[in-house]
Amino acid sequence: MKKVALFTMVFALVAVLSACGDTKEDSSSQASQTDTKQTEVEAENQKLKEEAEALKKELAEKEASEVETAATEASTETQEQEPKSAVTAEMMSLVVPNLVEGGAVDQKTYDYLVKHADLFPAVTADTKKAASKEVDSKITSKHLFKNITPYLDKMVKVTGTVIQVQEEETDFGTVATVHIMDESGNSLIGYYNNSTGDILDGDDVTMRGVPTAAYSFDNISGGTTNAIMLAVSTVQKVQ
């Protein structure tokens, strides 16, 4: 009986030890799996962090590139506009001294022509409308012949019959010279940096422009003609 009891205790002890061993192995396995998962989570987090940083950097570089591109385009546009803005002003700066002894474009006129460069010439519906709004309707040719000085930076409108219209190709492009005589017999000569289309001698036209100089020239009758020179924004037939 004692021997049977002893064997029973031995088997029980072995079973307990085996169970303990299995428990340690299970705990060790679970711990290993937990460590693996933790490592995987950390690796995934690191990957997401790196991707977020890369995306942030990419967005920053893209934004910087867009800003640089916009600045470059703006600079290019300004550079393209500058020569254009000076065309009529520069043209009149050459015309006036050639026709008026000791003459020069007044600074007020020059500044006006540069500031309103898109109106010289006004060739689109919008710019023609804008030029029309710039006109001071109270100023007539009589005011200009009396004293041109107060109106050197004003847009005026004059209407008359074409005495002579000429066009020529210059460094400034096509330049038209339009000599008209209004109903008061006053001569006004406009310089227009564009073609006048189908306008011919004898047509009635309206010109809008800025008075630039008062001067005189010899006419075909042997006398002298007093005239007002205009830098022309628009010229059109009177329908």
Side-chain angles (χ1 to χ4, degrees):
M1 287 292 293
K2 289 183 179 180
K3 190 177 290 189
V4 171
L6 182 58
F7 278 121
T8 301
M9 291 179 63
V10 171
F11 282 126
L13 183 58
V14 170
V16 170
L17 291 176
S18 296
C20 289
D22 291 342
T23 301
K24 288 182 67 177
E25 289 179 0
D26 290 343
S27 298
S28 176
S29 176
Q30 290 176 0
S32 176
Q33 291 176 1
T34 299
D35 290 343
T36 301
K37 289 181 179 179
Q38 181 65 27
T39 302
E40 291 176 351
V41 169
E42 290 176 354
E44 185 67 23
N45 287 339
Q46 182 63 29
K47 181 180 179 182
L48 291 174
K49 183 178 179 181
E50 291 175 354
E51 290 177 350
E53 289 296 328
L55 180 59
K56 183 178 179 181
K57 182 179 179 181
E58 182 181 350
L59 290 175
E61 291 176 348
K62 183 178 180 182
E63 183 178 357
S65 177
E66 289 175 350
V67 170
E68 183 178 357
T69 299
T72 301
E73 290 176 350
S75 176
T76 301
E77 184 177 354
T78 300
Q79 292 174 0
E80 290 176 349
Q81 289 178 350
E82 284 177 350
K84 180 181 178 182
S85 67
V87 169
T88 298
E90 292 300 324
M91 179 181 76
M92 298 310 295
S93 294
L94 294 178
V95 170
V96 174
N98 284 333
L99 297 179
V100 183
E101 185 176 353
V105 172
D106 189 274
Q107 190 63 46
K108 291 191 300 182
T109 305
Y110 187 91
D111 291 343
Y112 185 93
L113 294 174
V114 172
K115 182 178 180 181
H116 299 86
D118 57 330
L119 305 183
F120 292 88
V123 295
T124 67
D126 287 341
T127 54
K128 288 178 181 178
K129 185 176 180 180
S132 181
K133 288 183 177 180
E134 282 288 313
V135 170
D136 186 336
S137 59
K138 297 188 295 294
I139 304 171
T140 68
S141 62
K142 292 180 180 180
H143 292 90
L144 301 180
F145 277 94
K146 179 181 178 180
N147 183 9
I148 193 175
T149 303
Y151 315 112
L152 290 172
D153 59 349
K154 307 294 183 182
M155 185 81 83
V156 302
K157 180 175 76 171
V158 293
T159 298
T161 302
V162 176
I163 303 302
Q164 187 178 50
V165 55
Q166 293 180 314
E167 292 181 2
E168 62 178 316
E169 299 305 316
T170 73
D171 291 340
F172 300 103
T174 301
V175 175
T177 307
V178 186
H179 178 187
I180 69 170
M181 184 176 289
D182 68 10
E183 59 183 10
S184 299
N186 295 316
S187 286
L188 301 108
I189 300 177
Y191 284 82
Y192 181 56
N193 189 207
N194 199 16
S195 172
T196 55
D198 61 351
I199 293 175
L200 298 172
D201 294 356
D203 289 335
D204 291 330
V205 301
T206 293
M207 293 193 297
R208 294 181 180 85
V210 178
T212 306
Y215 71 115
S216 301
F217 59 90
D218 296 333
N219 57 42
I220 58 176
S221 300
T224 300
T225 297
N226 296 321
I228 294 293
M229 184 189 303
L230 300 173
V232 177
S233 172
T234 67
V235 55
Q236 59 193 90
K237 282 186 180 182
V238 175
Q239 301 298 327

